Amino acid sequence: MPTLLLVRHGRSTANSAGILAGWTPGIDLDDTGRAQAAGLPERLAGLPIARLVSSPLERCRQTLEPLAAARPELAAPELDERLGECHYGDWTGRPLSELAEEPLWRTVQDHASAAAFPGGESLRALSHRTVDAVREWNDKIAVDHGPDALWVAATHGDVIKAIVADALGLHLDHFQRISVEPCSVTAIRYTPHRPYLLRLGDTGALSALAPRPHGHSAGDDAVVGGDTGADAGTGTA
């Protein structure tokens, strides 16, 4: 089955201001975020990417622009609202320092499966829609491009953490233990039996994720970038 490269958007103006952006329109990458996005094509150079998919929010689309320009053979990124940010409802646009004083904050941090944002969605709903989205895309890309395909999805921090928690079989209540930096890449290899987390929040080079030649793997459960040992793990090598 294909390998998913989850790209968190580069640093945004809301990130640098300490604001919970959610689905607020017009939140762009800041100068640091644009520089991070500009470096993405080099980090992914040599990887045979089959498709680009993105959250519809501006900061994600802007993050993929340099990569799409460097890969003219690829179709334009396909937008999927299911990969959009959590709908934070009444929390949207508020400073994180202020939200940290809300009683719900501790629930979000310690018992995410019970957290529902006033006027928005629950973190359970976020998990369900995003995991369903990537698994459906994975099946489609396997049909269109074969089981060794790699594809990129640009999305958001909480979305990536929820997808990683699912891949690792972690309860959603533990998803806050996962950290992904702006413009980091998280790689998940899906197989017929289980997913493998190959990289988590990686901000370095990623050439080791290129598929190995056929006949060099250890079977259905083998992972891209290595059959066993350190190459199969998480890291920034």
Side-chain angles (χ1 to χ4, degrees):
M1 296 291 286
T3 296
L4 164 61
L5 306 180
L6 287 161
V7 178
R8 186 183 175 192
H9 62 78
R11 197 176 79 171
S12 71
T13 54
N15 293 145
S16 52
I19 300 296
L20 188 65
W23 282 72
T24 303
I27 300 296
D28 297 323
L29 299 183
D30 66 9
D31 289 343
T32 295
R34 285 191 288 273
Q36 291 169 335
L40 194 59
E42 182 177 356
R43 292 171 59 204
L44 298 178
L47 296 184
I49 297 168
R51 187 163 302 177
L52 303 176
V53 182
S54 180
S55 156
L57 294 171
E58 291 96 333
R59 54 196 183 272
C60 291
R61 292 188 280 111
Q62 291 168 358
T63 298
L64 285 189
E65 283 175 359
L67 180 60
R71 300 286 187 102
E73 73 279 7
L74 292 175
E78 299 191 53
L79 306 184
D80 189 334
E81 289 200 355
R82 297 174 298 172
L83 294 176
E85 181 61 283
C86 185
H87 293 276
Y88 293 115
D90 296 345
W91 280 30
T92 301
R94 294 176 60 187
L96 293 172
S97 58
E98 178 183 296
L99 293 172
E101 303 299 320
E102 294 279 355
L104 180 61
W105 182 267
R106 286 267 44 100
T107 304
V108 171
Q109 301 302 315
D110 300 333
H111 191 23
S113 64
F117 296 98
E121 71 180 327
S122 68
L123 288 174
R124 293 189 313 279
L126 170 76
S127 176
H128 292 157
R129 67 170 163 89
T130 57
V131 169
D132 283 350
V134 297
R135 289 183 178 269
E136 287 178 19
W137 274 109
N138 221 53
D139 290 343
K140 176 176 174 55
I141 288 167
V143 170
D144 293 345
H145 300 281
D148 294 328
L150 288 87
W151 62 288
V152 170
T155 183
H156 307 267
D158 281 350
V159 171
I160 295 171
K161 292 191 295 183
I163 294 169
V164 169
D166 170 75
L168 292 177
L170 291 179
H171 196 284
L172 186 61
D173 286 349
H174 299 314
F175 100 131
Q176 295 288 21
R177 302 181 183 190
I178 299 165
S179 177
V180 288
E181 296 297 313
C183 218
S184 64
V185 175
T186 294
I188 301 172
R189 167 70 168 172
Y190 290 89
T191 79
H193 302 295
R194 64 183 68 86
Y196 289 88
L197 181 64
L198 308 182
R199 296 289 189 275
L200 176 62
D202 196 322
T203 57
L206 296 154
S207 59
L209 292 173
R212 296 286 183 93
H214 286 289
H216 194 73
S217 69
D220 287 345
D221 287 346
V223 294
V224 171
D227 304 327
T228 59
D231 284 341
T234 299
T236 57

